[in-house]
Amino acid sequence: MKILEYHCRALDQLAWDFDSVKFDNINLLVGDTATGKTRLLNTLFNLGRFVTVKEFKYGSWNIVFEHAGITYTWDLQTNSQDSDGEERIVKENLSKHENQTLVPIIERNDKSFVFADRQMPKLSSRETSISLLQEEDNIRPLYQGFSRIQRRLFSEDALMQVSTFQVLPKRVISQVGTKGDLEKLFVADMNLSCKLCILSRHFKKVYQVIIDYFRQVFPFVQEHSIKELSEIQPNIALGGYCPVFTIRERGSKQWIPIHEFSSGMKKILLILTDIFILPDGGVYIIDEYENSLGVSAIDFFPQFILDLEKNVQFFITSHHPYIINAIPPSNWFVFHRNGMKVSIRYGEDLIRRFESSKQEYFIQLINDPFFSRGVE
């Protein structure tokens, strides 16, 4: 899935309204603090949640996206909370692009639900049509596309959770190992050590790529190994095979388990694993990548995503000078907020003016009137 155009208006108490914007493969969202960058990322992720886990959201969306070589336009509008508190979809239109025309697939409102020219019976008004009709041949790929929108939280608690001890689920081993299905690993609810263990057994090339990049960021890592928990904590028994990813640093004989890694090392390992497990056509969202990272990890990331030969769309926010300078302005989306209205300017509109100056792009950006006015 690739999001080509996007417009969102929230209908909650704050009623945020974002400019319609055309996105690229790499999208760096920049702007002063509190200009709406994180909120836009949340709307993207929440739309995926609305489709895949039926987590109802208030708002209106217009999204043009491409999946499996087909371009679609989807208009969705839910009600603001009425006095009776009822939540429902009030309008939904899904169309396919064919020869520069839109061919309707779904047309839905309060009174009617038409799918492929057929009137549908009464269905839940709280669920999107993509969720309701996910078993239909021409809808199933769209459901899969929205399930591939991934956003990670990198708080201390979140990083602790992905590095905690967990018994390797036999069911997942069977599903992934016998079919060689990397997507099963993507959707599996497992910690980082379990995923790396399965990769090391059944997807050795993917595992090695992750390790190579990890050691590129942290060159002091001499060796890596996946050990059983009993080798590290003999007094803990979890009733099954519990893998633990460990490293040994140069000049040391001691193995360090993943739960004792620094926050930055956990974060980089998690991001690398996510990206290389994410199925083709995935969307990966990172809010303020630079948080909790050292210089080497920050320096690594821009060139990594620019060179990555994988069909993944990135949405990233950053305030860090190096990241902003290293990612071309043509991939920037500059945010400015006036009340609840968020204006978005394309970075390519700034290139001609920027190229006439010898100052770094970051310095020019923060001195640009559109950026520096901040919130009005």
Side-chain angles (χ1 to χ4, degrees):
M1 178 178 177
K2 179 181 178 181
I3 299 169
L4 304 175
E5 299 181 35
Y6 186 75
H7 175 249
C8 173
R9 183 175 183 271
L11 295 178
D12 56 16
Q13 293 178 346
L14 295 178
W16 288 69
D17 187 10
F18 296 88
D19 271 356
S20 179
V21 61
K22 295 181 179 180
F23 285 122
D24 208 333
N25 288 332
I26 297 174
N27 306 281
L28 178 65
L29 280 50
V30 295
D32 209 349
T33 302
T35 51
K37 303 181 298 297
T38 297
R39 281 189 176 269
L40 181 67
L41 297 186
N42 290 342
T43 69
L44 287 170
F45 180 72
N46 288 340
L47 186 58
R49 298 275 295 176
F50 197 175
V51 172
T52 57
V53 298
K54 306 173 185 179
E55 193 174 276
F56 189 89
K57 300 296 177 183
Y58 294 106
S60 64
W61 297 263
N62 179 272
I63 176 171
V64 180
F65 62 97
E66 181 183 66
H67 188 70
I70 302 174
T71 301
Y72 301 87
T73 291
W74 187 31
D75 290 304
L76 176 67
Q77 182 179 337
T78 65
N79 66 317
S80 56
Q81 252 183 325
D82 297 330
S83 57
D84 61 5
E86 183 182 357
E87 299 173 334
R88 66 183 183 277
I89 293 170
V90 297
K91 177 185 175 183
E92 184 176 14
N93 293 318
L94 175 67
S95 302
K96 179 170 62 173
H97 293 226
E98 283 188 2
N99 299 322
Q100 299 184 333
T101 61
L102 293 179
V103 178
I105 300 173
I106 291 165
E107 296 175 297
R108 181 185 186 189
N109 55 40
D110 274 341
K111 299 179 180 178
S112 175
F113 188 153
V114 177
F115 166 56
D117 295 326
R118 304 193 315 269
Q119 184 69 43
M120 301 298 291
K122 186 175 179 60
L123 298 169
S124 171
S125 60
R126 295 189 72 260
E127 295 181 40
T128 69
S129 60
I130 297 176
S131 176
L132 289 167
L133 304 173
Q134 61 182 277
E135 297 303 323
E136 296 288 337
D137 289 343
N138 54 346
I139 300 297
R140 186 182 301 113
L142 308 186
Y143 182 85
Q144 292 173 343
F146 279 97
S147 71
R148 294 172 183 175
I149 299 176
Q150 185 172 24
R151 180 193 63 182
R152 280 290 189 183
L153 300 177
F154 298 107
S155 65
E156 284 294 331
D157 286 344
L159 291 173
M160 184 180 299
Q161 185 174 358
V162 298
S163 58
T164 191
F165 302 137
Q166 181 183 2
V167 172
L168 192 62
K170 293 181 179 179
R171 175 181 54 82
V172 177
I173 297 173
S174 175
Q175 288 178 338
V176 175
T178 57
K179 298 181 181 179
D181 190 346
L182 200 56
E183 188 156 3
K184 295 290 185 184
L185 186 56
F186 166 69
V187 300
D189 183 18
M190 294 192 302
N191 70 7
L192 195 48
S193 287
C194 285
K195 289 188 175 182
L196 288 168
C197 178
I198 290 178
L199 286 172
S200 70
R201 292 181 181 183
H202 301 291
F203 304 92
K204 297 182 185 299
K205 290 183 179 179
V206 176
Y207 176 77
Q208 192 57 52
V209 168
I210 292 169
I211 296 301
D212 289 346
Y213 275 118
F214 183 70
R215 294 183 66 183
Q216 180 180 326
V217 180
F218 304 105
F220 53 82
V221 174
Q222 180 83 32
E223 292 184 76
H224 59 91
S225 177
I226 295 175
K227 299 185 180 295
E228 212 285 327
L229 177 61
S230 60
E231 298 179 62
I232 302 166
Q233 301 280 356
N235 298 325
I236 300 178
L238 297 184
Y241 177 71
C242 181
V244 181
F245 182 79
T246 64
I247 60 168
R248 188 174 66 80
E249 297 180 355
R250 187 176 294 113
S252 172
K253 295 182 179 179
Q254 184 175 358
W255 287 94
I256 303 171
I258 188 172
H259 62 278
E260 295 181 9
F261 288 9
S262 68
S263 295
M265 294 181 76
K266 290 178 185 177
K267 183 174 179 178
I268 290 294
L269 188 58
L270 177 59
I271 289 174
L272 288 171
T273 305
D274 280 346
I275 289 172
F276 285 105
I277 288 178
L278 188 64
D280 276 352
V283 175
Y284 198 68
I285 298 171
I286 306 178
D287 194 13
E288 297 191 6
Y289 167 82
E290 63 269 18
N291 286 354
S292 78
L293 295 179
V295 174
S296 60
I298 292 171
D299 290 356
F300 153 82
F301 187 67
Q303 200 60 48
F304 166 71
I305 61 171
L306 289 168
D307 293 342
L308 185 67
E309 295 181 358
K310 186 176 173 66
N311 182 19
V312 174
Q313 187 177 28
F314 289 96
F315 289 89
I316 308 152
T317 70
S318 179
H319 295 280
H320 197 280
Y322 181 83
I323 292 176
I324 293 174
N325 280 325
I327 293 180
S330 57
N331 295 104
W332 294 359
F333 297 82
V334 188
F335 280 56
H336 172 83
R337 179 160 72 91
N338 185 355
M340 297 296 105
K341 173 61 181 176
V342 179
S343 302
I344 304 172
R345 177 182 291 179
Y346 297 107
E348 62 186 18
D349 296 339
L350 307 174
I351 292 176
R352 186 172 301 174
R353 180 154 46 87
F354 280 15
E355 286 179 344
S356 65
S357 171
K358 294 183 179 179
Q359 288 184 310
E360 291 185 337
Y361 284 153
F362 173 78
I363 299 299
Q364 296 178 76
L365 172 66
I366 63 174
N367 288 312
D368 185 270
F370 186 78
F371 180 100
S372 59
R373 279 199 304 265
V375 179
E376 296 179 357

